[in-house]
Amino acid sequence: MKGEFHAPSLEHEFFPGILWFEHVANGWFAIDRLMFVRLLMAAVVAVFFVIAMRSPKLVPSGVQNVAEIALDFVRVNIAEEILGKKEGRRFLPVLATMFFLIFAMNLPSVIPGLNISPNARVGMPLVLAIVGYFVFIYAGAKRYGFFKYVKSSIVIPNLPPALHILVVPLEFLSTFILRPATLTLRLMANMLAGHIILVLMFSATNFFFFQMNGWTTVSFGTIIAAIAFTLFELLVIFLQAYIFSLLSAVYIELALHADEH
């Protein structure tokens, strides 16, 4: 009704109705709007790199040049910066996949018509965190053997024996529980908060401009704030992809040098 403001529903935004396959395999393959956006952006990333690299040239141009610049950013500033050239090249595929998937799936939060990042719901951040989790455990187990790696990660040398009772559980919690949990929650919480703020700002603009007689001037302030925050959200979109990939590389590096605890 005119003059009434209704806050956006989080349930409707983040748990929308099923679009397709609701009754296939008891709903295991059901696709809602957020899942559709995930599949769409994953397909966009795949098609972009297929087109860019389908016939690579020694001197890149056009789409190939954009793709190589993007890959070089991940290689130089994440993989090699943290892991060095040898190990950076080894783990570049998984770090690049994380970076570009996260970036692409964050981007819909500012794309008209999509207007939400699928990373604002826990599923995709959790899957990516689990991938990073298994990769750093694999890196440590491959170098030391699984049990030696676990021991090296949680047992600090030269501590008084009594302190191990306190320190070992804390190190285990920090290394094998909190790392994937914090990766998941950091990405989800940032994209969730950004979406909510944008929705509230644009909703306030609509409210003041179309419904509140005499408050039209206020709507100009809210729309300017909404545009400014949209630009800030673009920075957050990039930073979250960078931070997630960077921390994954740091965890791999720690696993590769677990004996230097």
Side-chain angles (χ1 to χ4, degrees):
M1 294 178 62
K2 187 176 179 65
E4 293 186 1
F5 176 74
H6 299 278
S9 168
L10 290 181
E11 182 177 356
H12 174 74
E13 289 285 314
F14 296 102
F15 299 95
I18 302 299
L19 298 177
W20 303 293
F21 310 127
E22 181 176 3
H23 302 294
V24 176
N26 292 322
W28 279 88
F29 299 99
I31 295 178
D32 61 13
R33 189 167 78 91
L34 265 73
M35 182 58 71
F36 170 74
V37 175
R38 285 174 184 160
L39 295 174
L40 174 65
M41 299 313 294
V44 167
V45 172
V47 170
F48 171 76
F49 281 104
V50 167
I51 292 174
M53 300 301 181
R54 69 185 186 280
S55 55
K57 299 177 182 177
L58 185 61
V59 179
S61 61
V63 180
Q64 181 188 343
N65 193 43
V66 174
E68 290 196 6
I69 290 172
L71 286 169
D72 270 351
F73 172 82
V74 179
R75 178 180 62 83
V76 173
N77 295 285
I78 298 177
E80 292 182 358
E81 177 73 20
I82 302 299
L83 298 168
K85 288 188 177 293
K86 180 181 176 181
E87 298 296 344
R89 181 179 296 273
R90 178 185 171 198
F91 290 100
L92 177 60
V94 68
L95 295 173
T97 300
M98 285 180 179
F99 178 86
F100 292 115
L101 275 180
I102 293 170
F103 179 80
M105 292 189 188
N106 286 348
L107 206 53
S109 64
V110 294
I111 297 178
L114 298 179
N115 300 113
I116 191 169
S117 167
N119 285 335
R121 195 165 70 184
V122 72
M124 194 65 194
L126 179 60
V127 169
L128 291 167
I130 289 172
V131 170
Y133 180 72
F134 282 111
V135 169
F136 82 71
I137 289 177
Y138 163 80
K142 182 75 173 177
R143 172 160 292 192
Y144 300 104
F146 179 75
F147 292 105
K148 183 178 179 182
Y149 161 64
V150 172
K151 179 182 176 182
S152 298
S153 298
I154 64 176
V155 177
I156 299 177
N158 303 319
L159 273 182
L163 283 181
H164 286 301
I165 298 173
L166 175 64
V167 172
V168 168
L170 291 176
E171 289 292 321
F172 181 85
L173 179 67
S174 172
T175 301
F176 296 106
I177 306 297
L178 292 183
R179 285 180 183 178
T182 53
L183 281 176
T184 301
L185 294 176
R186 182 184 295 106
L187 176 57
M188 184 198 72
N190 276 278
M191 301 317 301
L192 173 63
H195 175 77
I196 291 173
I197 292 173
L198 284 175
V199 169
L200 288 174
M201 285 182 174
F202 283 110
S203 297
T205 300
N206 174 73
F207 176 68
F208 287 126
F209 188 84
F210 291 105
Q211 299 187 52
M212 289 290 287
N213 295 330
W215 288 81
T216 303
T217 305
V218 177
S219 69
F220 290 104
T222 58
I223 192 63
I224 289 171
I227 293 171
F229 193 83
T230 299
L231 297 176
F232 176 73
E233 187 72 358
L234 287 171
L235 177 62
V236 173
I237 285 168
F238 167 78
L239 283 178
Q240 289 307 309
Y242 175 73
I243 291 169
F244 193 104
S245 305
L246 185 73
L247 287 175
S248 297
V250 169
Y251 297 154
I252 293 169
E253 172 68 7
L254 291 172
L256 291 172
H257 297 89
D259 59 347
E260 299 174 11
H261 197 293

